[in-house]
Amino acid sequence: MADSKMKSPDTFWHQPIITRESRERQNGHRGAIIWFTGLSASGKSTLAHAVEHKLHERGVRTIVLDGDNVRHGLCGDLGFSDEDRSENIRRIGQVSKLFLEAGVIVLTAFISPFRIDRSRVRMMVDDPRDFIEIYCKCSIDVCESRDIKGLYKRARKGEIPDFTGISSPYEIPENANLAVDTSRLSVEECVEQVIRTLQDCGVLPIEI
Amino acid sequence: MADSKMKSPDTFWHQPIITRESRERQNGHRGAIIWFTGLSASGKSTLAHAVEHKLHERGVRTIVLDGDNVRHGLCGDLGFSDEDRSENIRRIGQVSKLFLEAGVIVLTAFISPFRIDRSRVRMMVDDPRDFIEIYCKCSIDVCESRDIKGLYKRARKGEIPDFTGISSPYEIPENANLAVDTSRLSVEECVEQVIRTLQDCGVLPIEI
């Protein structure tokens, strides 16, 4: 293979780039970041997975980002100080944006207690349809009574520092696209509300 | 909606999880990490985008991770010291693994000069088909003669510290799945070699 094959070194460096739009056409739907926020045990991860299940069944490309696949991996070097929480959310926002570029609907399930961090992620995207904030509304009493992982118990004993709702603040969203009452509704009802919101916001077509 | 709707608090917390296998069935192909490594201007990004173009045309779900969408975002807080380079590759490896879980073929185009960092990413995956290392083989003379971004010139002047190949080492892969000679082959020929490698490794079916 001779060097002469390369007509110009410059041409070597220019290739068609596959755009987000092209991926969305391939997938048959828009990409979007669906951002679930709320206290520990408020149902974020459950709801995100349940919504994903519904969407996947309908041929939608999805991924859930939650503590299980992020806190032990990408953000394994971060703790729970205010600074680390912000960096955690920043990285998750950036990864979500990459999935958005891939035309995927990414569902994130993190406490994300600080308004400014959530705003920063919202500001990363251009189109309002790209970032849908869903507040999993659930009183701390109900969350604490669930306490599946025994975290509240340990936090009350002072064994977990900076625990949201107990020793670290949670800032309730003021402009969430949906506040879903996970303390009173069934998972199915919550899923229905989320899907309707995604349709109302123009993320999903009505017939999905 | 009464609380009685929730038969057991436990059931609230268990939802079917969509698996990687289920996404791969939906996509019609395996997910994989295709890891391009080589000097600056060795053709990594060009080749990754050209391979993506070919795959996208055939309905394969893909994403390219390169300096353009990672160094200014997820890794915007990192410089080019040995430590920062390692952390850069660690994060890219973790993000690639998330795309792998999403059933996507992720093509990464980073110098990734250190063998140990590339090995660490390889060790993140279980199946050898999940991580395919492609060495963009190109002498420093050829890379320097291209120097599209003028980086080598600046590095020679000492304006860029820790520049791979000049003031920072590049460790040539010993066990790459493919070493593609980007200094002698056309982009099309390189793409062909990569696609054949993906078929030989069992990432893509033969007929793709």
Side-chain angles (χ1 to χ4, degrees), chain B residues 11-153:
Chain B
T11 62
F12 192 87
W13 297 97
H14 296 288
Q15 288 296 323
I17 302 287
I18 304 300
T19 61
R20 174 179 163 188
E21 288 67 33
S22 178
R23 299 176 205 284
E24 290 179 337
R25 268 198 303 279
Q26 191 182 47
N27 291 345
H29 60 82
R30 289 181 62 83
I33 302 169
I34 318 300
W35 193 276
F36 295 87
T37 172
L39 293 170
S40 180
S42 63
K44 301 177 297 300
S45 198
T46 301
L47 185 52
H49 281 288
V51 171
E52 160 162 82
H53 193 256
K54 187 76 112 190
L55 294 177
H56 182 81
E57 273 180 344
R58 283 156 180 71
V60 173
R61 264 61 184 186
T62 57
I63 187 81
V64 171
L65 301 181
D66 64 7
D68 285 345
N69 58 10
V70 167
R71 270 286 182 183
H72 301 293
L74 179 66
C75 297
D77 56 324
L78 300 175
F80 291 87
S81 67
D82 285 8
E83 198 184 9
D84 278 7
R85 280 177 192 267
S86 289
E87 173 62 10
N88 185 48
I89 298 306
R90 188 192 73 81
R91 289 189 201 169
I92 292 159
Q94 290 291 350
V95 171
S96 299
K97 204 178 164 191
L98 292 171
F99 275 103
L100 184 67
E101 288 304 316
V104 170
I105 290 189
V106 49
L107 307 115
T108 68
F110 299 91
I111 299 175
S112 47
F114 304 130
R115 218 167 275 143
I116 191 166
D117 294 330
R118 299 190 302 258
S119 299
R120 275 197 197 115
V121 180
R122 188 186 286 272
M123 282 162 63
M124 282 180 196
V125 303
D126 300 319
D127 190 308
R129 290 174 292 181
D130 289 346
F131 182 88
I132 308 295
E133 189 175 6
I134 297 182
Y135 171 39
C136 291
K137 193 179 158 195
C138 188
S139 71
I140 189 143
D141 293 345
V142 173
C143 291
E144 197 162 355
S145 71
R146 288 175 183 162
D147 203 17
I148 312 299
K149 301 174 192 165
L151 294 175
Y152 282 95
K153 203 172 166 187

Side-chain angles (χ1 to χ4, degrees), chain A residues 5 12 22-23 46 56 62, chain B residues 12 22-23 46 56 62 189:
Chain A
K5 278 213 165 192
F12 192 88
S22 178
R23 299 175 205 285
T46 301
H56 182 81
T62 57
Chain B
F12 192 87
S22 178
R23 299 176 205 284
T46 301
H56 182 81
T62 57
E189 287 164 332

Side-chain angles (χ1 to χ4, degrees), chain A residues 1-3 5-6 9-10 12-18 22-23 26-27 41-43 46 49-50 52-53 56 59-65 69-70 72-77 87 90-91 94-95 98-99 101-102 146 148 182-189, chain B residues 1-3 5-6 9-10 12-18 22-23 26-27 41-43 46 49-50 52-53 56 59-65 69-70 72-77 87 90-91 94-95 98-99 101-102 146 148 182-189:
Chain A
M1 316 292 166
D3 280 313
K5 278 213 165 192
M6 288 171 57
D10 272 342
F12 192 88
W13 297 97
H14 296 287
Q15 289 296 322
I17 302 287
I18 303 300
S22 178
R23 299 175 205 285
Q26 191 182 48
N27 290 345
S42 64
T46 301
H49 280 289
E52 160 163 80
H53 193 256
H56 182 81
V60 174
R61 263 63 182 183
T62 57
I63 186 83
V64 171
L65 301 181
N69 58 11
V70 168
H72 301 293
L74 179 67
C75 297
D77 56 325
E87 173 62 9
R90 187 191 74 80
R91 289 189 201 169
Q94 291 291 352
V95 171
L98 291 171
F99 276 102
E101 289 304 315
R146 289 176 182 162
I148 312 300
T182 58
S183 66
R184 301 206 159 267
L185 302 180
S186 70
V187 178
E188 292 66 29
E189 288 164 332
Chain B
M1 315 294 167
D3 280 314
K5 279 214 163 190
M6 289 172 57
D10 272 342
F12 192 87
W13 297 97
H14 296 288
Q15 288 296 323
I17 302 287
I18 304 300
S22 178
R23 299 176 205 284
Q26 191 182 47
N27 291 345
S42 63
T46 301
H49 281 288
E52 160 162 82
H53 193 256
H56 182 81
V60 173
R61 264 61 184 186
T62 57
I63 187 81
V64 171
L65 301 181
N69 58 10
V70 167
H72 301 293
L74 179 66
C75 297
D77 56 324
E87 173 62 10
R90 188 192 73 81
R91 289 189 201 169
Q94 290 291 350
V95 171
L98 292 171
F99 275 103
E101 288 304 316
R146 288 175 183 162
I148 312 299
T182 59
S183 67
R184 301 205 160 267
L185 302 180
S186 70
V187 178
E188 291 67 30
E189 287 164 332

